[in-house]
Amino acid sequence: MPIVDAQPTPFEFDLDTTALLVIDMQRDFLLPGGFGESLGNDVAQLRRTIGPMKRLLEAWRATSMPIIHTREGHKPDLSDCPPAKLKRGPMIGQPGTFGKILIQGEYGHDIIDELQPLENEVVVDKPGKGAFYATDLEEVLTKDGIKRLVVTGVTTEVCVHTTVREANDRGYECLVLADCVGSYFPEFQQAGLRMIAAQGGIFGWVAESPALIEEIAR
Ligand code: C5J
């Protein structure tokens, strides 16, 4: 089995039971002038993941392992957006630079050009921060016999963390790639990664993508 140098211990995986999860690499979060930036965030903190993610996708696509992308967003009538979320995110559904913010079918809701999914890759639309809540992700993973997830995307302390915590509770072993996840807040990026691998890997492992790419390219 391939083994990647990771924290807190090496991460072992096999090509038949491992999937790549790419979380919310959407224009609304990553494009200059978009929703994320309009909230006062520095999108460069997220955009630094694009180069490593492109290299990872290229290597991963040369294997038979599945790739699953997620997008956070809502139906145009917001019927799947809990009032409590809307109360603290009143911009959701409002017109923005790239269409209605976080609304399915709008330009800003879709994945950035650099990381567009291929036709054979699954895209899971999720109304929450976690990728399991109110989605068919569990069915998709079960159908493919997946037991391990390599997790990438944004943001580290919100949608990546929520998903990895949920996945861990459901019995998946998760490897988070430090250079392929991003937070608008450098201190959250650092703490978010440390939390995953602390206490013997309380809910996962952390590694750098070149170490993984080297293993899957063997
Ligand atoms: C946020 C996400 N931060 N994808 N979404 O609202 O992490």
Side-chain angles (χ1 to χ4, degrees):
M1 289 230 271
I3 301 182
V4 185
D5 188 22
Q7 293 299 323
T9 58
F11 181 81
E12 227 179 332
F13 66 101
D14 69 70
L15 304 186
D16 295 330
T17 61
T18 307
L20 174 64
L21 204 49
V22 183
I23 297 182
D24 300 0
M25 292 297 285
Q26 294 162 256
R27 297 181 181 120
D28 275 340
F29 295 125
L30 284 123
L31 285 197
F35 171 53
E37 193 173 84
S38 74
L39 297 173
N41 294 311
D42 174 13
V43 291
Q45 296 292 338
L46 305 193
R47 294 185 64 80
R48 62 161 188 78
T49 64
I50 298 173
M53 292 273 306
K54 275 177 71 172
R55 291 188 283 279
L56 175 67
L57 276 179
E58 195 185 329
W60 200 281
R61 282 171 176 156
T63 75
S64 56
M65 296 186 286
I67 301 177
I68 299 153
H69 304 255
T70 71
R71 298 183 295 202
E72 179 178 348
H74 299 280
K75 296 179 180 161
D77 66 2
L78 294 177
S79 58
D80 58 352
C81 185
K85 180 175 181 182
L86 202 53
K87 198 168 157 194
R88 283 166 296 124
M91 290 168 81
I92 296 172
Q94 298 303 310
T97 317
F98 303 118
K100 288 187 186 162
I101 291 166
L102 290 183
I103 296 298
Q104 291 164 10
E106 299 287 339
Y107 182 77
H109 172 263
D110 204 6
I111 292 162
I112 57 171
D113 294 349
E114 296 90 328
L115 306 178
Q116 274 284 312
L118 300 184
E119 266 189 18
N120 64 330
E121 296 169 3
V122 174
V123 178
V124 171
D125 281 317
K126 62 186 186 62
K129 304 304 181 194
F132 289 92
Y133 170 69
T135 73
D136 60 359
L137 179 58
E138 180 84 69
E139 284 86 336
V140 170
L141 298 177
T142 304
K143 180 179 69 58
D144 284 344
I146 299 301
K147 298 191 180 345
R148 296 179 187 85
L149 296 171
V150 172
V151 186
T152 62
V154 298
T155 61
T156 307
E157 77 282 13
V158 185
C159 293
V160 171
H161 249 235
T162 308
T163 299
V164 173
R165 287 166 190 251
E166 286 184 319
N168 177 66
D169 283 351
R170 287 165 187 256
Y172 298 97
E173 292 185 333
C174 297
L175 174 69
V176 177
L177 295 179
D179 54 333
C180 294
V181 295
S183 168
Y184 295 120
F185 307 97
E187 68 274 29
F188 292 170
Q189 170 77 0
Q190 211 190 17
L193 291 171
R194 284 185 61 200
M195 280 181 207
I196 294 166
Q199 302 181 69
I202 188 112
F203 56 93
W205 285 257
V206 176
E208 300 287 336
S209 65
L212 178 70
I213 289 172
E214 200 177 310
E215 280 305 314
I216 62 180
R218 261 179 216 276

